[in-house]
Amino acid sequence: MPDGPSSPTRLGDLERVVMETLWAHERGTLTVRAVHNELAADRDIAYTTVLTVLDRLAKKGMVLRERVGRSWEYRAAASRAELTAASMRHTMEDVDSGDRRAALMHFLDGASTDEVADLRAALAEVERRANPDA
Amino acid sequence: MPDGPSSPTRLGDLERVVMETLWAHERGTLTVRAVHNELAADRDIAYTTVLTVLDRLAKKGMVLRERVGRSWEYRAAASRAELTAASMRHTMEDVDSGDRRAALMHFLDGASTDEVADLRAALAEVERRANPDA
DNA sequence: CGGACTAACTACGTTACGTAGTAGAAACTA
DNA sequence: TAGTTTCTACTACGTAACGTAGTTAGTCCG
């Protein structure tokens, strides 16, 4: 029973590579054949391996698929950014609120200037949305 | 070859429980016996299981230990907050800078008011440090 | 010395995952 | 229509991580 990307399933290396391929075509769908073609350019890999991986990803809810004729068209269930965000949030949520502050401090300590800038911008954006009149 | 908590090793369930126990005594060290006593209060678990888990955690660099007499005293190599932060940062780092903004936006979108407040506070604190004169 | 306690080593079952072969259905093609 | 191609579904096998714990062998205390 697929439960969607809300539960942060751990991905293996190949699974991640396949997700990358799907993400590279964010707005389209890909057949197994198409994914295999892309991967085969870089590595020696069997068609059925790609098939199996996509099937497993679908069962985990990481990818969505729909029938087109006799074959399936796959696409990522969540964008890379969404998945990253969900994973970060999940990580943060498993500390209680006392440690959360400390965790966030450490997080920012280790972040680069660019990352902090992006975060500040995102924070401002969220604020603007919450408070459009100010 | 232990490489410290810098490489975010995935923890199993029991491994995490053991880490929790160590974190609960943040400033002290615990023997295998002590950890086992705590765990045994809640579940049926063999002493040697705890021993094995602590040994594996030590090999991963997740815990540090030192000889005291014939036995070992264990403590967490990183606080829970540090580990959480490292994991979040690691997650964030595997998107390129283009997606990072988007990821952070999604992250904040899903965050609670309290979490956003904590983050804002942490950001201000980091800023204050970087710019003590302003 | 003998029991008690500790750590090292070994082991077994499960699950995830990389990897891929084979079977069978469907479609294309000569 | 029969052969070939192309998909999917099912099955399989090896490895690694991990939960779990027994066995073995020192060491210390009385």
Side-chain angles (χ1 to χ4, degrees):
Chain A
M1 195 144 299
D3 53 349
S6 49
S7 62
T9 314
R10 202 75 200 140
L11 296 181
D13 290 344
L14 179 54
E15 289 177 327
R16 180 158 295 270
V17 168
V18 169
M19 289 304 296
E20 304 281 2
T21 306
L22 295 179
W23 282 326
H25 301 252
E26 193 95 35
R27 286 301 150 211
T29 60
L30 292 179
T31 60
V32 177
R33 178 64 57 191
V35 174
H36 177 251
N37 282 343
E38 298 220 5
L39 298 192
D42 288 336
R43 56 156 82 194
D44 191 30
I45 190 169
Y47 174 88
T48 50
T49 300
V50 178
L51 183 64
T52 302
V53 170
L54 279 167
D55 191 57
R56 287 179 183 163
L57 287 172
K59 284 190 180 117
K60 288 182 194 176
M62 298 293 300
V63 306
L64 303 176
R65 61 183 180 179
E66 60 182 317
R67 281 272 181 207
V68 173
R70 76 196 133 155
S71 69
W72 295 99
E73 302 247 309
Y74 290 83
R75 62 193 166 86
S79 71
R80 187 173 182 146
E82 285 166 342
L83 199 64
T84 301
S87 172
M88 288 175 66
R89 202 159 48 241
H90 178 259
T91 300
M92 187 178 69
E93 273 163 8
D94 86 17
V95 305
D96 49 37
S97 53
D99 282 342
R100 195 173 60 217
R101 259 169 214 275
L104 288 172
M105 281 299 303
H106 286 297
F107 173 68
L108 291 178
D109 270 347
S112 73
T113 311
D114 280 359
E115 288 162 352
V116 172
D118 279 351
L119 187 58
R120 198 192 320 283
L123 204 48
E125 172 70 19
V126 165
E127 212 139 290
R128 194 172 327 127
R129 278 191 211 164
N131 228 29
D133 43 313
Chain B
M1 193 147 297
D3 53 349
S6 48
S7 64
T9 314
R10 204 74 202 141
L11 296 181
D13 291 342
L14 179 54
E15 290 178 327
R16 180 158 295 270
V17 168
V18 169
M19 290 304 296
E20 304 281 2
T21 306
L22 295 178
W23 281 326
H25 301 250
E26 193 96 32
R27 286 300 150 210
T29 60
L30 292 180
T31 60
V32 177
R33 178 64 55 193
V35 174
H36 177 251
N37 283 342
E38 299 221 3
L39 297 193
D42 289 335
R43 55 156 83 196
D44 192 29
I45 190 171
Y47 174 87
T48 50
T49 299
V50 177
L51 183 64
T52 301
V53 169
L54 279 167
D55 191 57
R56 286 178 183 164
L57 287 172
K59 284 189 180 117
K60 289 184 195 174
M62 297 294 301
V63 305
L64 303 175
R65 60 182 181 181
E66 60 182 317
R67 283 270 181 208
V68 173
R70 76 199 132 151
S71 70
W72 295 98
E73 302 248 308
Y74 290 83
R75 63 195 165 87
S79 70
R80 186 173 184 150
E82 284 166 343
L83 200 65
T84 300
S87 172
M88 288 176 67
R89 201 158 50 242
H90 177 260
T91 300
M92 186 179 69
E93 273 162 9
D94 85 15
V95 305
D96 48 37
S97 53
D99 283 343
R100 196 173 59 215
R101 259 170 213 273
L104 288 171
M105 280 300 302
H106 285 297
F107 173 68
L108 291 179
D109 269 347
S112 71
T113 310
D114 280 0
E115 288 161 353
V116 172
D118 278 351
L119 186 58
R120 198 192 321 282
L123 202 50
E125 172 69 21
V126 165
E127 213 138 293
R128 195 174 324 133
R129 279 191 212 164
N131 227 30
D133 43 312

